[in-house]
Amino acid sequence: MTTARRGRIPQRRIAETVAAELRTRILAGDDDYRLPTQDQLVKEFGVSYPSIREALRILETEGLVTVRRGNVGGAEVHRPDESSAAYHLGLALQGARVTLGDLAAGLQMLEPMCAAECARRADRLEVVVPALEAAVDSSVEFVGEGAQFTHSARDYHDLIISFVPNATTRYVVSSLARLWSAQEEAWAEVLTRRGEYPSTTEADEAVHAHRRITGAIANGDAAEASRLARAHLIATQAIVLERFDDGVVNASAAMARQAVRTGPRTRI
């Protein structure tokens, strides 16, 4: 790998070649896949330490590894999930100056479809409904707690999407929902600190809406589940958009990154 017809291959090209091979291994490997040590990689690929370190930096930039430096150094592998997809999609939307209103409108089209899919599941009463009911009950405990209620209520939306059987739909819509959650939770944190968080009336209405959506899913009424989900989204998003409708999606702020990267694991 270190020689070519016209002399040495530039270190960057070597690093990209190594990174491409390691990327393939990470994506194809099991959840517990571990990268070889730098010494092992140098020996395996027959390249220099700087090339291996540059390859790891490339993967670190992509969010696939975290390089720990020092005496306990090494590379921790991170398989891509909805959170990483949401973060990178958020950066793309932010770079394109996409507004929160545009993101909200997209979710109004896509998330109700997920509620309908949950209602169509033959196992909804055994698998979907108990999880949704538990999420609603959990959120009730945080009514009046400001940002904590927002975080708990957003978990309900993530859960509905997580039960969609189609993986492509699940990943795409989950990424958008996680990104909206990041914006809404950042907003809630600010208003809670200012003492301006909406009254418990809005929280009670959200809990009631979640119970109605869950009931429609339990009844297997896909059309009603979709209608209720869309109406609920419009109502709750309006509270945020009233102040920030023209604001640009922000995935780069520290608070938004943290919100994007936390959330329930995928279910089916």
Side-chain angles (χ1 to χ4, degrees), residues 12-252:
R12 176 70 184 182
R13 283 184 55 194
I14 297 173
E16 289 172 347
T17 301
V18 173
E21 170 61 25
L22 296 179
R23 185 185 303 112
T24 298
R25 295 181 188 180
I26 291 171
L27 296 177
D30 298 330
D31 289 341
D32 58 353
Y33 173 75
R34 297 175 62 87
L35 282 177
T37 65
Q38 289 193 29
D39 289 340
Q40 292 169 330
L41 291 173
V42 166
K43 183 176 181 180
E44 176 182 352
F45 288 100
V47 300
S48 66
Y49 281 96
S51 292
I52 293 298
R53 286 193 289 270
E54 177 63 20
L56 293 176
R57 277 193 290 269
I58 292 172
L59 298 177
E60 190 169 30
T61 301
E62 296 173 353
L64 294 176
V65 303
T66 297
V67 178
R68 299 186 302 272
R69 291 158 178 90
N71 293 333
V72 292
E76 179 182 357
V77 172
H78 309 290
R79 286 179 59 82
D81 57 14
E82 295 97 324
S83 297
S84 55
Y87 177 62
H88 290 288
L89 176 59
L91 293 179
L93 295 181
Q94 184 175 346
R97 309 295 293 172
V98 172
T99 66
L100 290 179
D102 191 271
L103 173 61
L107 276 172
Q108 289 169 21
M109 290 186 285
L110 297 172
E111 191 174 324
M113 174 182 62
C114 297
E117 288 301 304
C118 287
R120 294 188 182 102
R121 286 187 56 152
D123 61 352
R124 62 186 180 279
L125 295 179
E126 294 77 30
V127 177
V128 181
V129 172
L132 294 180
E133 289 177 339
V136 175
D137 292 341
S138 176
S139 67
V140 170
E141 299 177 8
F142 297 105
V143 170
E145 298 296 326
Q148 287 181 287
F149 174 78
T150 294
H151 178 75
S152 181
R154 287 304 305 169
D155 282 347
Y156 178 86
H157 294 259
D158 291 335
L159 267 176
I160 284 182
I161 299 165
S162 74
F163 284 118
V164 173
N166 182 268
T168 299
T169 301
R170 192 169 64 243
Y171 269 80
V172 171
V173 183
S174 179
S175 295
L176 291 172
R178 192 72 59 83
L179 186 56
W180 173 264
S181 292
Q183 316 305 307
E184 187 171 325
E185 290 180 26
W187 160 85
E189 289 282 356
V190 171
L191 293 194
T192 299
R193 287 199 298 268
R194 293 177 181 173
E196 300 174 5
Y197 190 87
S199 69
T200 57
T201 299
E202 285 85 354
D204 289 335
E205 290 174 351
V207 169
H208 180 62
H210 288 176
R211 292 200 189 281
R212 293 185 66 195
I213 295 168
T214 303
I217 291 173
N219 293 333
D221 192 337
E224 181 68 357
S226 176
R227 186 190 70 79
L228 290 172
R230 187 171 189 275
H232 172 55
L233 281 173
I234 292 173
T236 54
Q237 289 172 343
I239 299 173
V240 179
L241 297 178
E242 181 180 0
R243 296 192 182 196
F244 304 110
D245 190 13
D246 295 329
V248 173
V249 172
N250 184 356
S252 59

